[in-house]
Amino acid sequence: MERTFLEWVILIWNSNWSLFLIGARNTLFIALTGTIIGFAIGIVIGIIRTIPIDDNTHPVARIAYKIINFLLLCYIEVFRGTPMIVQAMVVFYGAAWIYNIHLSPITAGIFIVSINTGAYMAEIVRGGILSVDKGQFEAAHSIGMTHFQTMANIVLPQAIRNILPATSNEFVINIKDTSVLSVISVTELFFLSKSAAGVNFAFFQTMSITCVIYFIMTFTVTRILRYIEIKMDGPSVFTIHGSQSVPEAQIRIVNRE
Amino acid sequence: MDKIIEIRHLQKSFGTNVVLRDINFSVSKGEVVCIIGSSGSGKSTLLRCLNLLEYPSGGEILYHGNNILEQEMSNAVYRAKMGMVFQQFNLFNNLNVLDNCMVGQIKVLKKDPASAKEKAMEYLELVGMSQFITAKPNQISGGQKQRVAIARALSMEPEALLFDEPTSALDPELVGEVLKVMKKLARSGLTMLVVTHEMGFARDVANRVVFMDSGVIVEDDVPEVIFNNPNNERTREFLRRTLEE
Ligand SMILES: Nc1ncnc2c1ncn2[C@@H]1O[C@H](COP(=O)(O)OP(=O)(O)O)[C@@H](O)[C@H]1O
Ligand SMILES: [Mg+2]
């Protein structure tokens, strides 16, 4: 008896839906946690790598800064220059062999995705910081703000807004790329889909379902982050306050841009 | 008179390029000093050294008699006393007009938001921008931006305000509104050091005009002498070229 594609899909879904949902949940969890931690790593490294160093800096501080900067650069280049699938194996088996630490696959997965994302985000954040014009740094310094105050109040809010599209892109990539964690048996969506397909040997039909689930996740995330971007931009109109004759009068002016 | 800043033998070089050589002058309380000179003569560098945006290579900057280059005072505290208004306005793009004038008061002067707002509103009123407090910098014109930048600097209640070509980036029809505010400030007794190409402003408003050329002060005198009867040939030549335009 021949089944149609649709009948296969319904059959597979009915007998494996919990696997798909658990897989999707784990994928989303690892991708989200990894992106957030990676973002935090990126912010910290991005800030360190844009500390201004000039003739006026103490020589010891300058040497310390050079060494730290070099180590950070090594981290960035190594993790950007090797495949995540290999990093996963090296960390997971390396932790067990060298340190006798037996990480749970999920923990190892989050760790890998985080430091991998951190390496990319470090450069993205650095670019975001450098995209804020030097004049605003100078204006902040000229009213007595320290480098840290300038970063926290002026530069980072703008840098983060500027890098939101790139961050959202990293998140989407992470949702897809957690599939490589199946090599260390992380029970994410691809790994569980494979085991479902292994039972019925209907690879095409099973993976079609998997495809749709991945797409729903990435599409939803993209929309949500786009919405956040628009919210962060604030209203495109402003109000004129208190005309002399009628203090309550508010005239709405449309954005000049 | 009470000298706010006194500069002695100030030098600044970028690598081998000597931009300021042996600059000596002082600014007293309530004085309006205009600095004129051709492009590249070191006017901006001098102003930036006074605010420590550039670190001098040599010499002394005395602030009420204390050399600030000897680190008796933290650079941030000193900078808060020397307000600066830039050619490109340099407003904080993530903050609205009001917050631009409050952030320094809250973070640097540690004021509470209510009194910071009161002070900010006072100066926004003075520059005629109090109606635009919720506007973001990209929603207002260049002249309005510069007036907000002036209010931002004033909100810190500095001892002196440094202006680096405040009207040079403006469309000609917007120059007037900024100069009007600056005249108002000059009359109110604010100590001002203004790099400008607006010779009319220098002639009418300044107590003293400093002419710079190739990193040195060529002439430092009252506007009547500089504009009507300069002592130095280079000053005469510069003014002839400038006023011809
Ligand atoms: N950061 C810098 N690095 C190297 N050279 C500089 C720097 N800033 C200014 N200069 C040089 O210093 C000279 C004076 O510049 P500036 O003070 O801006 O002149 P002005 O404001 O009178 O036009 C110029 O020759 C300029 O090229
Ligand atoms: Mg200049």
Side-chain angles (χ1 to χ4, degrees):
Chain A
M1 54 170 233
E2 282 290 307
R3 288 197 184 96
T4 65
F5 176 71
L6 198 62
E7 284 167 343
W8 265 115
V9 165
I10 292 168
L11 180 74
I12 293 167
W13 178 259
N14 283 340
S15 44
N16 295 295
W17 61 270
S18 62
L19 279 187
F20 285 120
L21 291 188
I22 291 170
R25 186 200 63 193
N26 287 348
T27 289
L28 212 50
F29 177 68
I30 295 168
L32 181 64
T33 319
T35 307
I36 291 172
I37 298 175
F39 184 77
I41 295 173
I43 293 276
V44 172
I45 296 180
I47 291 174
I48 295 174
R49 283 180 36 83
T50 48
I51 293 174
I53 296 294
D54 51 37
D55 305 345
N56 200 14
T57 312
H58 195 277
V60 176
R62 214 180 316 174
I63 290 168
Y65 180 79
K66 284 232 165 93
I67 294 170
I68 291 170
N69 213 5
F70 175 75
L71 294 176
L72 292 176
L73 205 61
C74 290
Y75 157 66
I76 293 169
E77 293 301 336
V78 167
F79 278 88
R80 293 206 311 177
T82 53
M84 193 158 85
I85 192 165
V86 179
Q87 294 164 14
M89 298 273 245
V90 168
V91 167
F92 186 65
Y93 295 110
W97 193 69
I98 302 173
Y99 300 107
N100 207 19
I101 300 170
H102 295 274
L103 296 169
S104 80
I106 293 248
T107 312
I110 290 174
F111 180 77
I112 291 296
V113 175
S114 300
I115 52 175
N116 199 283
T117 308
Y120 282 94
M121 287 306 301
E123 286 302 273
I124 293 171
V125 172
R126 194 169 78 98
I129 290 172
L130 296 179
S131 76
V132 176
D133 65 297
K134 202 162 150 269
Q136 293 186 60
F137 279 88
E138 294 192 339
H141 288 163
S142 80
I143 56 174
M145 287 170 86
T146 61
H147 181 69
F148 181 77
Q149 287 172 331
T150 307
M151 276 292 169
N153 297 287
I154 309 301
V155 178
L156 279 182
Q158 293 177 61
I160 288 173
R161 169 62 191 90
N162 290 344
I163 65 172
L164 222 69
T167 308
S168 142
N169 194 35
E170 279 298 310
F171 190 11
V172 167
I173 288 174
N174 283 342
I175 290 175
K176 296 186 292 178
D177 283 5
T178 44
S179 57
V180 307
L181 299 175
S182 61
V183 296
I184 54 169
S185 309
V186 175
T187 51
E188 44 69 50
L189 182 56
F190 178 67
F191 182 82
L192 292 183
S193 302
K194 255 194 334 189
S195 52
V199 176
N200 53 35
F201 293 102
F203 283 94
F204 167 60
Q205 295 85 337
T206 309
M207 287 301 165
S208 298
I209 297 175
T210 309
C211 239
V212 171
I213 299 175
Y214 270 117
F215 182 74
I216 291 172
M217 290 196 290
T218 54
F219 188 76
T220 312
V221 162
T222 313
R223 293 293 103 187
I224 292 174
L225 286 167
R226 181 74 196 115
Y227 178 77
I228 294 175
E229 279 172 38
I230 292 168
K231 275 278 154 204
M232 274 180 88
D233 287 341
S236 59
V237 296
F238 66 92
T239 31
I240 291 208
H241 291 264
S243 100
Q244 251 107 36
S245 47
V246 194
E248 312 79 51
Q250 299 203 327
I251 307 161
R252 288 168 75 77
I253 303 264
V254 177
N255 195 346
R256 296 171 55 91
E257 280 188 332
Chain B
M1 257 201 291
D2 183 13
K3 278 182 191 164
I4 293 181
I5 320 170
E6 184 172 358
I7 299 170
R8 289 189 189 153
H9 309 297
L10 188 78
Q11 292 179 30
K12 175 68 186 175
S13 24
F14 295 103
T16 54
N17 182 12
V18 184
V19 174
L20 298 178
R21 42 192 113 212
D22 201 29
I23 300 277
N24 297 281
F25 84 109
S26 61
V27 183
S28 302
K29 195 165 170 50
E31 256 191 321
V32 177
V33 179
C34 281
I35 303 177
I36 60 173
S38 52
S39 177
S41 56
K43 307 181 297 295
S44 296
T45 306
L46 173 57
L47 229 53
R48 294 165 59 81
C49 282
L50 281 176
N51 196 287
L52 299 184
L53 287 175
E54 302 288 357
Y55 211 78
S57 318
E60 294 177 342
I61 298 177
L62 305 182
Y63 172 70
H64 292 293
N66 300 315
N67 185 4
I68 51 141
L69 302 182
E70 281 174 356
Q71 311 278 341
E72 281 172 16
M73 186 177 196
S74 96
N75 288 354
V77 172
Y78 168 72
R79 278 170 167 163
K81 305 273 185 200
M82 292 290 132
M84 181 111 174
V85 174
F86 300 86
Q87 185 174 347
Q88 301 296 338
F89 331 124
N90 298 348
L91 291 182
F92 305 135
N93 287 330
N94 58 320
L95 303 179
N96 68 23
V97 164
L98 180 60
D99 289 335
N100 260 279
C101 300
M102 285 173 61
V103 65
Q105 296 187 70
I106 293 172
K107 301 294 170 188
V108 179
L109 305 180
K110 311 289 179 204
K111 287 211 220 165
D112 63 279
S115 57
K117 181 173 179 184
E118 196 178 327
K119 188 61 59 191
M121 287 307 294
E122 179 186 330
Y123 288 112
L124 284 168
E125 198 86 48
L126 182 81
V127 301
M129 285 300 291
S130 62
Q131 294 185 311
F132 294 86
I133 50 175
T134 58
K136 286 284 186 73
N138 65 10
Q139 294 171 319
I140 57 180
S141 74
Q144 292 175 324
K145 280 185 204 177
Q146 194 60 298
R147 287 188 279 144
V148 173
I150 293 172
R152 172 178 68 185
L154 289 171
S155 297
M156 300 298 291
E157 312 230 278
E159 287 237 21
L161 207 45
L162 315 172
F163 293 79
D164 191 2
E165 301 198 30
T167 57
S168 294
L170 295 175
D171 292 337
E173 76 269 22
L174 300 178
V175 170
E177 63 186 72
V178 172
L179 289 182
K180 212 169 103 190
V181 167
M182 290 171 63
K183 278 181 191 161
K184 197 149 100 179
L185 293 176
R187 275 199 305 272
S188 76
L190 180 72
T191 309
M192 292 164 57
L193 196 53
V194 186
V195 172
T196 187
H197 290 297
E198 296 289 333
M199 294 304 154
F201 179 85
R203 191 198 299 260
D204 297 344
V205 182
N207 302 107
R208 258 169 51 217
V209 176
V210 171
F211 171 65
M212 278 183 72
D213 191 30
S214 313
V216 295
I217 291 181
V218 176
E219 208 164 337
D220 177 351
D221 216 320
V222 293
E224 292 75 31
V225 173
I226 297 279
F227 288 109
N228 301 336
N229 197 11
N231 292 313
N232 194 291
E233 180 52 38
R234 280 195 280 175
T235 317
R236 213 167 294 156
E237 172 61 27
F238 169 77
L239 286 170
R240 189 182 313 124
R241 268 188 289 120
T242 312
L243 297 175
E244 257 171 25
E245 284 168 9

